[in-house]
Amino acid sequence: MHVNPLKPMKFKIAILVCLLLVPAWGGAAKGPLKATRVSISLVDGIAVSPNGDTYIARRSHNIISRIDQKGMLVNVVGTGASGFYGDGGPATKAYLRVPAGLTFDTEGNLYIADRNNHRVRKVDRKGIITTVAGNGTAGFSGDGGPATQASLNLPSGLAVDTQGNLYISDRSNNRVRRVNTKGIIQTIAGNGAEGYHGDNMPALKATLDKPFGLALDKDNNLYIADRGNNRIRKVDRSGLISTVAGDGGFYFIGDNGPAYRASIAGPTDVAVDGKGNIYISDRNNNRIRVVNKLGMIRTLMGTGQQDYNGDSELARETNLHLPFGVALDKNGDLLVIDRSHYRIRKLILKGNRVTTMAGNGVKLFGGDGGPAQGANLEFPHGIDVDSHDNVIFADKAHYRIRKITPQGIISTIVGNGIRGNIGDGGPALKASVFPTRMRLNHKNEIFFISPSGFISLIRKVNTKGIIDEYITTSDADYLKFLLASSSGRSTKSDITAISQFSDLALDKKGNLYLSDRINHQIRKLSKKGKIKTIAGTGDSNYFGDGGPATKAAFRDPGAITLDGAGNLYVADAANNMVRKINTKGIISTIAGTGKHKDDGDGGPALKASLRSIDSLVFSPAGELHIVETNTHHIRKIKKDGTIVTVAGRPGIQGNFGDGGPATQAMLKQPADIAFDSKGNMYITDMGNNSIRKVDTNGIITTLAGSGVFGWGSDGEHVEIYFANFP
C-alpha cells in the first residue's frame, strides 16, 4: 500500500485563469482578433453576408461571430449565456441556446436558427434582435397563422428566397416550413411522419427524416439535406419533391456516376452555385461532394480519413472530420465547417486549393472565467460542495475538476484537459486526470477516483492545489492485504489480484471508506494507512442482516455514504437495496424490496422497489437521498421511513422543467448530488451535460452547462451510430 502524506509547501502558488483569445463564455471580445488564432470549438452554421463577411454559429459558446474579409473575428450576437433573452434590444446582449443554421436576406438582415430555444431570430442591420418564428415551446402547431405563435421543434437550417420568404428546416417535426413576408407560417414539405416516401409527388405528401441544411438555386428551387434519409431532396417551384443525390445507404460509394445512385452518409448541409452545381456536406463520409448540372457526383474535398493533415495543396488530399456546413462566398469559393477539426476551411475552386480561414484546431472546452450557464460540460460526474458553498464537480470527459462560486462563475481547479494520471507532487492544474466519483473532506481537500485500465486510483488535491496519489489497487501493500485476507474471488486470479474502487466516503477523523464492487466488499483505510475489510464475505449474494457486516453478503456494492453519527450506508446495487452498517458493525436493510422496479413512493422505504442506485447522499436535514441514474430520478427517505421522489420523473428522460417543480422536471442519467449549507441540492445531470439546482422550495433550474442534449457534443466522434437522431 502506498499512502502519500503531503508535506507543507514553503511557497505560494498563484493560479491564473487564462482565456484563449476570445472569452470561452462568449463575452464580446475587446476588439477583432485573428480568426485563425481563435478556438472556435464546434460550429453548426455558416453564412456569407451581402458585403462578403462570413458569420458562424458557435454552438459550444452560444454566440455568433463575424469574420471580416481581412480575417479578423469578433462576436456579434450573444453573451455566451445559455437561455432566451434580449428580444428588442442589442444582439450582443441576447441569450441563445445552441444556435444552428444562419442565413441572410438581400437587405443584410441575419437570421439565426436558435435551435434549443425552438425559435428563429432576426438581427437587423442596426444590430437589434427579435423573434420571427417560434413561440419557444417544442412541438408542431400554427400553420396558417403568425409564425411567432407557431411551435417549432429544434429548427436547424434556414434559407431566404429573392422575394424575402424565409424557409426553416423544422428538424424534429420532419418538415420544412416557410414564413412569408407577412409573417405567416406554412408547411411546404413533409407530412410530419418520419421516413422516405413521396418522390415525384407533392412535397406536402412526402416524408422526411430530420432535415438539416437548406439552399435555394437562382430559380428558387429548394434543396434539403435530408439527413436521416441519407439523401438530398429538391422541391421545385410547383411543389413537387424529388431526390437529386443519395440512394439511402449510409456509406460511401458512387463517385463519377449518377448522384441518385450514389451513397452519402448523414448529409447535414447543401449549397448551390449560379451554374447549378450542388455542394454537399457528406458528414459521416468526411467528404465534400459536388453534383454537377448533369447529375453526376464526385468528391471535391476530403479523403474519407479524419486525421488532421493540414491544408494540402490539393483539396482532394485534405482530410476533414465530420464536415457540417457549406456556403459560397462572393468570389464563388466554397467555405466548409470542418467541425471536429474545429476550423473553417476555404476551398478555392479555381485552384483546387485549401486554406484555413478560422479556428486554431483547439476545442475550447468552454466557460472558465464566465457564467457557468454558458459553460460547456461533458459527462459531469462526481459532485460536492465545500465549506464556502462553492460547487466542486468532476467534468469527467473534459478531464478536469471545476468549481462554481456562489456568484455563478466557473473555473477549472484540477486538470490540464488531458486524460491520464500524470503530475503527482505538482500543481493540480498541470496534472492529467480522469475524475469520476469525488468527495471533499472537512478540510476541503479533494479525493477522487481515477480509473486506469484494470487499476483504480484514489488521488488527492490538498488545499494548496498540489495533487498526489493517495492509494491504488496496484500498491504492493494493498495487494498483499487482499491476498492475505478473506477477500472476493476476483482477488484470487491466476494472473493478478483484481480489485476496484467503485465509490469513496470520508469521515471527520480522516478515515477513507471504499467500496470494491467486483469483490462485493467494503474496506476502510485509516489515516495512518492501515486497511481492513469492514463488510462483505466476498460472496455475491444477499444475507447477513442483523449480524456483523463482515459476515454479510452483497451483490455489486457501489455508492456509499456516512451520516453524522458515523453509520455507513451502502447501495447494494444488484440486490436493489440500501443497507446500513451501524457504528457497532451490525448490518441491516433500510430500503428496497429486492425487485428491479420503480414503485413505492409515499410508503415505507422497505416496501419500495429500487434500481440503478448510483449515489447516496445525506442532506443537511439528515435525510438520505438516492440517485437512480438509469431511471432518471432522485428519491429521499424521510425521517419517518417513507420514500418519495424529489427530482425527475421515474423512467422518463429528457431536459425539461427549469423554473418549475423538480418533481415535474426531466433529467437524463443523473450521476451524483450534493447539498450546500442552505439545503439547496445540486445534480450532475450527466446525460444533459449540465448541473441542475433544486432550491429549498423544490424549484429546479440549470446552474451550469449550455443545455446540449445527448452524450457529449453533437459532432464528436462516437462508436455507436443511431438510426434516429434526436
Side-chain angles (χ1 to χ4, degrees), residues 232-307:
I232 303 298
R233 314 279 289 274
K234 174 183 175 181
V235 180
D236 66 21
R237 289 181 298 173
S238 68
L240 295 178
I241 194 169
S242 60
T243 294
V244 296
D247 63 0
F250 187 82
Y251 43 85
F252 173 73
I253 197 171
D255 263 8
N256 304 311
Y260 71 90
R261 296 180 61 182
S263 293
I264 54 180
T268 45
D269 204 7
V270 60
V272 185
D273 68 18
K275 297 179 181 179
N277 297 303
I278 304 165
Y279 302 89
I280 302 167
S281 290
D282 193 354
R283 178 184 182 271
N284 288 82
N285 281 324
N286 295 309
R287 288 173 164 91
I288 302 298
R289 298 169 83 179
V290 61
V291 180
N292 67 19
K293 59 184 178 182
L294 298 177
M296 305 296 283
I297 193 170
R298 64 185 174 91
T299 295
L300 191 64
M301 182 179 180
T303 66
Q305 301 298 312
Q306 66 187 35
D307 295 338

